[in-house]
Amino acid sequence: MSMETLGILVGLFVVMLVLKKVMTGKTISGAEARSLVESGAVLVDVRTPEEFSSGHIKGAKNIPASEIDQRASELPKDKPVVVYCRSGARSGRARSILVSKGYQDVHNLGPMGAWSS
């Protein structure tokens, strides 16, 4: 492999890391998420309905990531929103979609398991 090819690959890797960070945003801790929800934030589980029915955080609203673009209007823009999923990938994408729709106070908990940590 030439140095030029290696440089291109490294550059693409860096771009991918930056894009991932921009798309998912900073994740918050379980303690931060619980505090936000206790103060009135809306908690949104972006997993599938099947995943949601097999267990979810008490009080969470289920809007699957695949539907968040069409159903964003179900969420208030005047309250913080906390999103979560199984691993953090779908909640990161959901956060980005909500931000692009004008939601200014959206937080990514990441995986559901982070709630209790």
Side-chain angles (χ1 to χ4, degrees):
M1 181 180 317
S2 72
M3 290 301 287
E4 182 177 332
T5 303
L6 182 60
I8 290 170
L9 290 174
V10 169
L12 287 173
F13 180 73
V14 169
V15 167
M16 286 174 46
L17 289 176
V18 169
L19 285 175
K20 181 181 178 192
K21 183 66 176 171
V22 168
M23 290 298 290
T24 60
K26 176 186 170 287
T27 57
I28 61 172
S29 70
E32 290 170 305
R34 289 189 304 274
S35 177
L36 284 166
V37 171
E38 288 168 7
S39 298
V42 177
L43 183 61
V44 182
D45 184 325
V46 299
R47 299 174 304 148
T48 65
E50 296 78 22
E51 289 173 299
F52 185 80
S53 68
S54 70
H56 57 272
I57 300 170
K58 185 178 179 183
K61 177 179 184 72
N62 183 222
I63 302 178
S66 62
E67 300 174 13
I68 200 82
D69 191 38
Q70 298 82 17
R71 295 179 57 192
S73 63
E74 295 177 28
L75 300 172
K77 285 190 173 181
D78 62 344
K79 291 184 178 182
V81 175
V82 176
V83 292
Y84 73 89
C85 63
R86 182 181 54 80
S87 69
R90 288 176 284 180
S91 58
R93 288 191 302 274
R95 180 194 172 278
S96 293
I97 290 168
L98 292 172
V99 168
S100 75
K101 291 187 162 294
Y103 290 79
Q104 297 186 10
D105 199 1
V106 185
H107 306 271
N108 182 8
L109 172 61
M112 183 171 76
W115 179 259
S116 59
S117 62

